[in-house]
Amino acid sequence: MIDIASPHRLRIDSAALVSNWRWLAEQSGAACGAAIKADGYGLGARGVMKHLVAAGCRDFFVSTWVEAAALMPLAGDVSLSVLHGVGDSDMVAAKTLPVRPVLNSLDQVARWRAGGEGRACDIMIDTGMNRLGLRIEEAMGGALDGLRIDTLLSHLASADEDSAQNARQLAAFRTVRDRIPARRYSLANSAGICLGADYGFDLTRPGIALYGGIPRAEARGAIRQVAFPEARVLQVRSVPAGETVGYGAIWTASCDTRVAIANLGYADGYLRCHAGSGGAFWQARSLPLIGRVSMDLVAFDANEAEGLVEGDWIAIDYDLPEAAARSGLSQYELLTGLGARFERCWV
Ligand SMILES: *Cc1c(COP(=O)(O)O)cnc(C)c1O
């Protein structure tokens, strides 16, 4: 096969990933797992798993059986759960793979009782989010009697805010814990971990904060950026004062401007909402984004980046909390939207 270099790369800082996991584990006061759904929030689930297993993480969560199958074979004592549970069409995968379903409804519980051959499962209890999970009264009504429950989970709806819903969900989860036997209990995502060790129970399930997202102010200064998108400069051109750049001619050069055109666009998940506030860096010089974002191209003002030439790599400004505030996208969307054309490069 011929070796073709991608003009897009996503530099992933494995030391920062591990450092974030260690901080979250310490805050958890419990075992700390990792949510690696959506291909490890866009970074590559396999790579994330490899580095976190080496650091001591043992519990992983994906959304679907397709995601679980892609992670086989698992290292010896690693536990993997599928958050969306089992539908009829999932039963073959669920019985074949060394992975537990997180059962979310009475139908899923019945399906696992009938076809799960007595294997262990996890259970999701809805404590107020009304998304996935058994209602508390359903779970307490005997529906779970005799099941081999490994981990009993619930999920916080508003942990990123100082909402009274957090304490209500915590109280509800404690009631469930006292009444339904399971090997372990797990409530907190990244933001939930920041709410304090009360929320830790036996196992936490951070996602976004592992990957550099700041879920709450408590994580500021502790969580490090992990994902660094970079693009190659395709052309550097001189735009005379008064001329415009790009579709719709929305940007006009106020002075003669060196403009760098980069191999990046909304097809890579670098969406049009970055126009007006996005930017990039080259050797610590700042390159403000100018004009509209195209499908595969974007223009930057390179007047400060003397010496930048065609073929150079520029680092896209992707500090997650800042980029989220600027663009109106969530930190989750910023990561999971990064497209397949980025070559994932672990450093
Ligand atoms: C995605 C997810 C998590 C991780 O949430 P973050 O906000 O990314 O930390 C934890 N638990 C469940 C059930 C999830 O779906």
Side-chain angles (χ1 to χ4, degrees):
M1 217 173 84
I2 43 170
D3 199 19
I4 304 173
S6 171
H8 312 83
R9 64 186 179 204
L10 183 62
R11 200 161 55 74
I12 309 171
D13 184 340
S14 57
L17 172 75
V18 166
S19 157
N20 293 343
W21 179 76
R22 293 216 164 102
W23 184 81
L24 290 159
E26 207 178 285
Q27 302 300 307
S28 297
C32 183
I36 56 169
K37 61 200 183 194
D39 202 20
Y41 287 45
L43 275 55
R46 254 189 185 282
V48 170
M49 188 183 228
K50 184 183 96 177
H51 288 285
L52 292 183
V53 165
C57 182
R58 287 296 173 270
D59 295 277
F60 295 87
F61 297 86
V62 291
S63 287
T64 70
W65 292 95
V66 172
E67 292 179 331
L71 291 167
M72 297 300 117
L74 295 180
D77 55 348
V78 163
S79 155
L80 180 62
S81 300
V82 171
L83 289 164
H84 291 187
V86 275
D88 269 334
S89 57
D90 300 320
M91 282 303 282
V92 171
K95 284 194 287 190
T96 312
L97 300 175
V99 177
R100 292 188 308 279
V102 180
L103 305 179
N104 288 296
S105 66
L106 291 176
D107 280 351
Q108 291 195 352
V109 169
R111 191 172 291 122
W112 196 245
R113 275 192 195 285
E117 298 165 350
R119 293 172 53 170
C121 59
D122 296 344
I123 299 285
M124 175 66 78
I125 305 291
D126 192 290
T127 51
M129 189 173 187
N130 277 310
R131 193 177 64 171
L132 285 182
L134 278 77
R135 294 186 62 83
I136 292 175
E137 58 273 21
E138 289 175 331
M140 301 251 200
L144 303 178
D145 292 355
L147 275 182
R148 267 180 67 205
I149 305 176
D150 183 287
T151 307
L152 189 119
L153 297 77
S154 189
H155 193 47
L156 296 164
S158 305
D160 56 338
E161 295 167 26
D162 291 326
S163 162
Q165 190 180 21
N166 297 325
R168 283 201 301 274
Q169 287 197 265
L170 176 62
F173 192 62
R174 283 185 170 140
T175 306
V176 173
R177 178 194 55 179
D178 293 343
R179 304 277 289 278
I180 301 174
R183 187 171 79 83
R184 301 183 296 183
Y185 298 85
S186 173
L187 177 62
N189 61 346
S190 302
I193 291 169
C194 295
L195 292 175
D198 277 358
Y199 288 78
F201 293 88
D202 302 304
L203 172 68
T204 57
R205 313 182 304 270
I208 191 72
L210 290 170
Y211 311 114
I214 309 287
R216 291 181 57 94
E218 292 86 344
R220 228 175 264 146
I223 292 295
R224 290 161 55 184
Q225 184 172 350
V226 175
F228 298 84
E230 298 176 345
R232 246 185 210 284
V233 172
L234 207 56
Q235 188 176 85
V236 178
R237 55 192 305 122
S238 300
V239 177
E243 292 196 8
T244 62
V245 170
Y247 283 125
I250 63 165
W251 186 86
T252 305
S254 59
C255 58
D256 293 353
T257 305
R258 291 179 74 240
V259 172
I261 309 297
N263 251 304
L264 178 72
Y266 57 78
D268 303 299
Y270 193 72
L271 301 185
R272 285 160 44 110
C273 53
H274 290 294
S277 69
F281 295 98
W282 179 75
Q283 298 189 352
R285 316 283 178 74
S286 175
L287 298 100
L289 192 164
I290 57 181
R292 289 211 174 122
V293 176
S294 302
M295 185 184 294
D296 316 297
L297 296 170
V298 62
F300 295 97
D301 176 342
N303 268 352
E304 297 295 314
E306 211 179 299
L308 177 76
V309 294
E310 185 179 316
D312 281 344
W313 287 94
I314 57 174
I316 307 306
D317 185 359
Y318 226 66
D319 175 282
L320 289 177
E322 272 180 29
R326 279 199 314 255
S327 65
L329 298 170
S330 71
Q331 299 180 76
Y332 299 82
E333 291 167 295
L334 285 166
L335 286 178
T336 58
L338 291 172
R341 289 197 290 199
F342 280 100
E343 185 184 347
R344 271 70 178 167
C345 304
W346 287 87
V347 294

